[in-house]
């Protein structure tokens, strides 16, 4: 076997680093799933641990978490979104909560087009909050719509998206 060239060594190091970052991101998302479960079942620490363990050791999640792919980030952002939704429903919608929901939704939109699915639960949380917190919900909903519009404009400037996905 020939020793790798410097270029091959750099590629291997970059791939290994990307995979390690993926492991860190997926592990961090498990914390958010635990926090969401803890909020849902505050009297059952073991139940929250079981929910987080089920999430963390699901075979497809373990597989995705060890790869260098944008699917990893979407999956991990979904765990953060679940936590933010539970927290917002329990504490009420504030501008801070709306900003965090928008940041996660925006990150998902820019990560992958499947991130458009994040708009639905985020929008529902804002609409449900409108019953008691009308002014905050109107600002948050307007911000969410503006965020989606900006993301679509940014995505429409990418050749792959316009040539393959947003093609009429």
């Amino acid at each position: 076997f020939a020793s790798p060239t410097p270029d091959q060594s750099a590629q291997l190091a970059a791939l290994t680093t990307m995979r390690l970052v993926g492991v860190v991101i997926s592990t961090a998302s498990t914390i958010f799933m635990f926090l969401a479960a803890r909020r849902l079942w505050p009297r059952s620490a073991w139940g929250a641990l079981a929910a987080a363990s089920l999430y963390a050791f699901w075979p497809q999640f373990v597989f995705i978490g060890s790869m260098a792919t944008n699917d990893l980030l979407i999956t991990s952002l979904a765990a953060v979104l679940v936590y933010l939704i539970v927290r917002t429903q329990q504490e009420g919608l504030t501008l801070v909560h709306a900003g965090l929901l928008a940041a996660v939704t925006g990150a998902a939109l820019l990560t992958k087009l499947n991130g458009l699915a994040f708009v639905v639960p985020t929008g529902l949380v804002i609409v449900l909050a409108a019953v008691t917190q009308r002014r905050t919900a109107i600002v948050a909903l307007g911000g969410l719509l503006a965020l989606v519009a900006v993301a679509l404009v940014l995505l429409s400037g990418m050749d792959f998206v316009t040539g393959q996905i947003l093609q009429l």
Side-chain angles (χ1 to χ4, degrees):
F1 293 100
S3 61
T5 64
D7 192 38
Q8 290 171 330
S9 295
Q11 290 173 352
L12 182 61
L15 181 60
T16 303
T17 302
M18 286 173 41
R19 290 182 75 181
L20 286 173
V21 168
V23 168
V24 170
I25 290 171
S26 62
T27 302
S29 75
T30 304
I31 295 168
F32 284 97
M33 193 55 70
F34 174 79
L35 292 173
R38 194 77 174 118
R39 282 183 165 271
L40 290 171
W41 302 289
R43 294 186 188 141
S44 176
W46 287 107
L49 186 60
S53 297
L54 180 66
Y55 171 78
F57 295 110
W58 197 262
Q60 187 65 27
F61 181 72
V62 172
F63 174 73
I64 292 292
S66 67
M67 294 178 51
T69 174
N70 59 354
D71 291 324
L72 161 72
L73 190 54
I74 280 288
T75 304
S76 298
L77 287 171
V80 176
L81 184 68
V82 166
Y83 168 72
L84 290 174
I85 287 172
V86 170
R87 180 178 164 185
T88 301
Q89 283 300 107
Q90 289 179 345
E91 296 178 0
L93 183 67
T94 64
L95 290 178
V96 171
H97 290 147
L100 291 171
L101 286 164
V104 170
T105 302
L109 285 167
L110 294 176
T111 299
K112 195 171 181 175
L113 284 177
N114 292 356
L116 282 170
F118 281 45
V119 173
V120 174
T122 301
L124 284 174
V125 167
I126 294 169
V127 168
L128 288 173
V131 174
T132 57
Q133 300 162 296
R134 187 162 306 205
R135 176 176 283 153
T136 305
I138 289 171
V139 170
L141 195 56
L144 179 63
L145 293 174
L147 177 75
V148 170
V150 167
L152 288 175
V153 167
L154 288 174
L155 289 171
S156 68
M158 297 178 181
D159 289 336
F160 173 76
V161 175
T162 56
Q164 302 295 320
I165 298 166
L166 296 180
Q167 194 175 47
L168 292 176

